[in-house]
Every structure is written in C-alpha cells, then in structure tokens.
Amino acid sequence: MKKEINYPWFKKEDIDGFFALFQNNLANFAVIAISMLGMGFPASIVFGRVIPGAAIAVLFGNFYYARMARRLAEEEGREDVTALSYGISTPVMFIYLFGILGTALTFSDGDPEMAWRIGTAAAFLGGAIEALGSIIGPWIRRNLPRAAMLGALAGVAFTFIGGELFFTTYEMPIVGLLVMGIIIIGLVAKKKMPFNIPTSLFAIIIGTVLAYLFGAVEISAIREGLDQLGFYPPMPTGAPLTGLGYLFGGTAGLLAVVIPIQIYNLIETMNNVEAMAACGDDYSVREAQLADGFGTMIGAFFGGVFPTTVYIASTGAKHMEAGRGYSILNGIVFFLAASLGVIGFVAEIIPLPVIAPILVFVGITMVGQAFVSSPPRHAPAVVIAMFPYLSDFIATRFQSLDPEGFAEVFPAAEALGQGPMFTGLIWGAFAVFVIDRKWNKAVITALFGFGLSAFGFMHAPQIQLQITSEFALGYLVLAVVIYLFSIYYKKYPELTEPKPIFCEINRDELENLSKEEVK
C-alpha cells in the first residue's frame, strides 16, 4: 500500500547532483560534436540533428527516471529516494562514433547524409536490443564470459579510441602533452586539482587557453563558435527506417558491432541498477532496460545516433543525497543547450588535441578494466579478444593507401577485420572455456564461429551464405578437434593441473609493494 509522503520536486542537494551529472553529459556532447566534425560530418547534421536528437533521448530518460523515483518513494514511504542518473553511455558512445559512424562514412564514400541515416538505424536497432534485453539479458550475462566481452571492447579502446587519440594528442605537442599529464595526475593518480576544479574541466580550460596563446588555434575559431549559436529545434525524422535498408544490406557487417556492444550496454544498465539497490534504492532492472531502450529509439527518430544507459554516477548522486530534481534539471538544461547551439559553440572553440587526452584516458580505463575485472587466469582470453580490432584498425586506416601492397604485407587483415567484435567474442570465450576445462562449451563456441562465418557475420564484407569458405570450415574443424580432445582428456585425465602461464602475485603483496614504492 502506498503511503502519503512529501517527496519534493527539488531540494538543495539536487544542485550537487545536477552539476556532477551535467559535467558528465556536457563532456559527452562536446566529444560527440568535436569528433563528428573532425570525421567530416557537416555542422548542419551534427548540431541540427544529432545533438538535438540526443537531447530528446536524455530529456525522456531523465523525466522517466524522476517518475520512477517518485513511484519508489511512494511504495516504500521514503523521502530519501534518489533518481537514477541517465545519459549517453560513454564507452558505447566511442564504439558508435568510430566503429559505426566511421565505418558508415567509409561505406558511403564519405557521404555524411547516408552515414547519418545508417547511424540512426543502428541506434534504433540498439535501442530495440536493449528493450528486448530486459528478457534475455540475465541469460546472456550468465553464459558470456566477462573476459570475452570486455576483451573485445578493449580491442576497440586500444586502437580506435586510446591509440588513435594518443596520436592526435601529439598534433599540438605543447598543449596536448600538458593536458595528457594533467589527466594522468587527476584521473589516473586521483590527485585533486587547484581549487577542487574537476580534472577534465581544469585540463580543458588550461589546454584551450594555451592553444590560443601559442597560436595553435586562430582567434577566428571563437567567432566561428559564436556562429553556431542559434535555434535548432528537434525535428522528427524517418531516417532510421531508410537507414535500416543500408544496415541490413551493404553495411550488414555493422550488426557485428551493434549487437555485442548493445549487449554490453544492457549489462551496464543492469550492473548500475544493482549498485543503486546496494545503496538502498531498489529499482526494477527490467524497467530500467526498457526505459533505456525506448529512450534510444525515440532519440533516433529525432536524429540521434547514440544509445543511452543508466550511469554508474547514480550511486554518487545517492551519496550526495540528491532526489529527483537533479534528473529533471539535467534533462531541461541539456535540451535547451542543444536547441540553442551552446554545444556547438563549445565544440568549435575547443581544439581536438585538448579533448584527445580525455579520450585516451577512456581507452586506458577500458583496457585496464578488462583485465582487473576478469580472473587473472583469463588474461590470455582478454588479449586474444583484442587482436581482431587491431586488424580492423590497420585495414580501415591503411588499406586504401595501397591496396595491392597492403594485401602483400597483411594478407589476412581485411578478413580478420570484418566483424571484429564477433571474432573477438568467439576467441575470448573459447580461450576462457579451454582455460577452465569446459570442453563442451569450447566446442559450442567454435560452432558459433562456424555459424557466424557461414552466414557472413564475420570474415565477409556483408551478410551472405558462405558455408564452404575457408574461415567457416576452419572453425568447424576446430570444433571437431576440440571435441576429440575432450574425449581424450576424459579418458586420460592429468593427475595434477599444470601451472598457469603467468606468475601470479598475491594482491595483498602488490598493495604492500605499492605502499613501499610510494614511501
């Protein structure tokens, strides 16, 4: 039975919660704008469609989670309920930027209009997967090894995010190196900045000022930024419907990115909702996944190309004792900022090498998280899951420069780079199951590799039937041989397990060693 309570629309603690969430969202919106402009998308698409569409998704989600908070407060008779934080998923955002929009640009021969339509279709499909994930999410989480999923994502982080943006950092050495140093001090070493200014904001301010002082950026950029100010009302579009035709046609290989990364996104939502439950606010995981999915789909029909999720910052807002007001305020502020061109203004005046070190940090954390979140014995699985994206990076960045020479130096790079997310998941999962002596699951994983290759989800430029391809047959042979191995090991079991390939060090010993080094 619901109890009568006075759950406020807004309270002073919501101010802290708002600024914490606002900074996160602002950074994402700025990165989106700067990156897309750098990739070749015109301002009319970035500021007139993508940013307003993303703002619509954020507005919907912030309002919906404020409503969920109100309902939970009434059901439990509490006034200290904190709404879930919501916005564009940062890791997934980078995958969509470089793995989907970048690939779509290549497919369309640099046509930003077609690439944008493909992006909206990918976002819509991703939202649908998120919504459906409310049904199948728990099963996926139980059966897909963490090392495989995080290892495949780490491959993207190491190449397209951390690696490539580290190169960008050196395009303005005086500015980029200083900003990189500040990021390492504040975000890696966790040291406070002067006046307790957030590290990212401090780094952006210092880097931007230096860029103008040293002439790395012309003062005219400020005038160009002011030109972005205007009125950009969100307008509904049918782009996702036309984009689906491309997505299931010539760019079907992108499904190998959309499906796994969206599975990651729904699990991220699941984890963050569970974290809030540990803090006392027990929300429905299924409802949150549905809300994220519908928010993404709604945003796509207004031009958005990025999925949304429950933020890990939700627990931070809880510790700040925020309520629902911070969520409502965040949605309204970003809707206004997107509609008035404020995001475009910020993106124009800040050079990419100033933002790049922040993205390098994201790459560092994604790669590092893949290892620390997996059992030490699964480290080889994380590494092998990363390799396909290295091949994809090499192929997409260098093949067009000299196709014949590239084929001679890297004869298999193109095929390995097609559907790299699936390939990484297959090899990562296979390695985990072999390490853990789960032979039947290893056989099944190899058969999945055969099926995905046979239907062109990987090692092929598009979805097509290719059962007799060398790649498909290779996975089939692997499955048969592993099955024979399982029979052999069952008949002739080893009396003692071999030592791991790495020297494992006790974590307590590592902590003590670190303390001694600090001294």
Side-chain angles (χ1 to χ4, degrees):
M1 181 179 178
K2 294 182 179 180
K3 298 180 181 179
E4 290 294 330
I5 61 168
N6 182 27
Y7 185 54
W9 283 98
F10 194 87
K11 55 183 180 178
K12 63 181 181 67
E13 290 82 3
D14 282 317
I15 297 176
D16 289 334
F18 162 72
F19 277 110
L21 182 58
F22 178 83
Q23 178 193 340
N24 198 327
N25 275 297
L26 179 61
N28 282 349
F29 274 60
V31 167
I32 287 170
I34 293 171
S35 299
M36 290 189 67
L37 290 172
M39 294 165 67
F41 285 92
S44 59
I45 288 180
V46 177
F47 302 123
R49 303 178 191 175
V50 174
I51 297 298
I56 285 289
V58 170
L59 183 68
F60 166 81
N62 284 157
F63 276 32
Y64 189 85
Y65 282 125
R67 177 179 176 275
M68 282 182 67
R70 169 70 184 183
R71 194 168 66 241
L72 182 63
E74 291 178 344
E75 290 174 353
E76 299 187 358
R78 296 189 293 118
E79 298 179 7
D80 62 345
V81 172
T82 300
L84 293 167
S85 298
Y86 174 85
I88 294 173
S89 171
T90 303
V92 176
M93 176 187 73
F94 290 118
I95 305 298
Y96 268 69
L97 267 173
F98 302 108
I100 292 179
L101 291 177
T103 304
L105 269 177
T106 302
F107 167 79
S108 62
D109 294 326
D111 182 354
E113 178 74 22
M114 181 185 295
W116 166 70
R117 290 180 179 276
I118 294 171
T120 61
F124 174 78
L125 181 61
I129 294 171
E130 175 89 3
L132 291 173
S134 63
I135 301 172
I136 64 174
W139 182 89
I140 294 173
R141 190 180 185 189
R142 288 193 304 269
N143 290 277
L144 186 62
R146 175 175 291 180
M149 180 174 291
L150 296 186
L153 295 177
V156 186
F158 181 76
T159 53
F160 289 95
I161 301 174
E164 188 160 29
L165 272 298
F166 193 60
F167 304 155
T168 303
T169 298
Y170 274 74
E171 292 178 6
M172 293 182 184
I174 296 177
V175 175
L177 301 188
L178 176 60
V179 174
M180 190 74 249
I182 292 172
I183 292 299
I184 292 176
I185 293 169
L187 297 182
V188 177
K190 298 291 186 182
K191 300 298 292 184
K192 291 183 178 180
M193 294 292 107
F195 310 108
N196 283 329
I197 299 175
T199 299
S200 298
L201 180 60
F202 184 80
I204 290 174
I205 292 173
I206 296 296
T208 302
V209 170
L210 285 179
Y212 285 95
L213 286 178
F214 284 97
V217 180
E218 299 292 334
I219 297 296
S220 60
I222 298 177
R223 184 170 58 252
E224 294 173 0
L226 291 172
D227 291 340
Q228 298 301 331
L229 296 176
F231 185 49
Y232 303 92
M235 300 295 291
T237 175
L241 300 180
T242 56
L244 285 172
Y246 297 118
L247 191 60
F248 285 94
T251 59
L254 289 178
L255 295 175
V257 179
V258 175
I259 295 173
I261 194 61
Q262 207 56 48
I263 291 172
Y264 167 85
N265 202 36
L266 68 91
I267 291 177
E268 181 182 4
T269 293
M270 185 185 305
N271 289 339
N272 293 333
V273 172
E274 289 177 354
M276 276 294 276
C279 293
D281 292 344
D282 193 1
Y283 289 100
S284 166
V285 172
R286 178 165 295 178
E287 184 177 1
Q289 290 174 330
L290 284 170
D292 288 356
F294 280 111
T296 298
M297 288 188 284
I298 291 171
F301 277 105
F302 281 87
V305 295
F306 299 99
T308 53
T309 189
V310 173
Y311 276 161
I312 195 171
S314 299
T315 54
K318 182 65 179 177
H319 291 307
M320 294 175 186
E321 299 182 358
R324 58 173 167 168
Y326 87 101
S327 180
I328 296 172
L329 183 60
N330 183 76
I332 294 174
V333 168
F334 268 97
F335 176 77
L336 293 175
S339 299
L340 298 177
V342 176
I343 305 297
F345 169 74
V346 173
E348 286 287 351
I349 65 174
I350 301 176
L352 184 56
V354 172
I355 297 291
I358 300 174
L359 309 186
V360 174
F361 169 74
V362 172
I364 291 171
T365 56
M366 290 177 70
V367 175
Q369 194 66 44
F371 287 97
V372 300
S373 297
S374 304
R377 68 181 185 279
H378 291 167
V382 174
V383 175
I384 196 171
M386 294 172 60
F387 287 151
Y389 262 105
L390 174 61
S391 183
D392 183 38
F393 177 80
I394 293 172
T396 55
R397 293 297 182 266
F398 304 111
Q399 185 179 22
S400 61
L401 300 177
D402 182 10
E404 293 183 3
F406 181 87
E408 291 180 4
V409 178
F410 303 105
E414 182 179 11
L416 184 56
Q418 293 165 337
M421 184 67 76
F422 278 140
T423 309
L425 289 173
I426 290 296
W427 280 108
F430 177 83
V432 167
F433 294 140
V434 169
I435 291 170
D436 291 346
R437 312 297 192 258
K438 297 179 179 178
W439 304 109
N440 289 339
K441 288 188 175 181
V443 171
I444 292 172
T445 302
L447 290 175
F448 266 107
F450 164 73
L452 291 171
S453 300
F455 288 95
F457 282 97
M458 57 190 198
H459 312 316
Q462 61 185 23
I463 293 179
Q464 57 189 17
L465 190 62
Q466 49 177 21
I467 295 179
T468 58
S469 77
E470 291 183 311
F471 300 106
L473 294 178
Y475 287 106
L476 183 60
V477 170
L478 176 63
V480 172
V481 172
I482 295 301
Y483 176 71
L484 295 176
F485 267 115
S486 69
I487 296 175
Y488 175 83
Y489 289 132
K490 186 175 181 180
K491 187 175 182 180
Y492 303 103
E494 296 177 339
L495 298 179
T496 58
E497 283 292 321
K499 294 181 179 180
I501 64 173
F502 300 116
C503 297
E504 296 188 15
I505 302 175
N506 184 278
R507 291 188 182 275
D508 293 333
E509 293 179 2
L510 284 176
E511 288 293 330
N512 293 333
L513 180 61
S514 298
K515 292 177 182 178
E516 289 298 323
E517 290 177 346
V518 169
K519 292 179 181 179

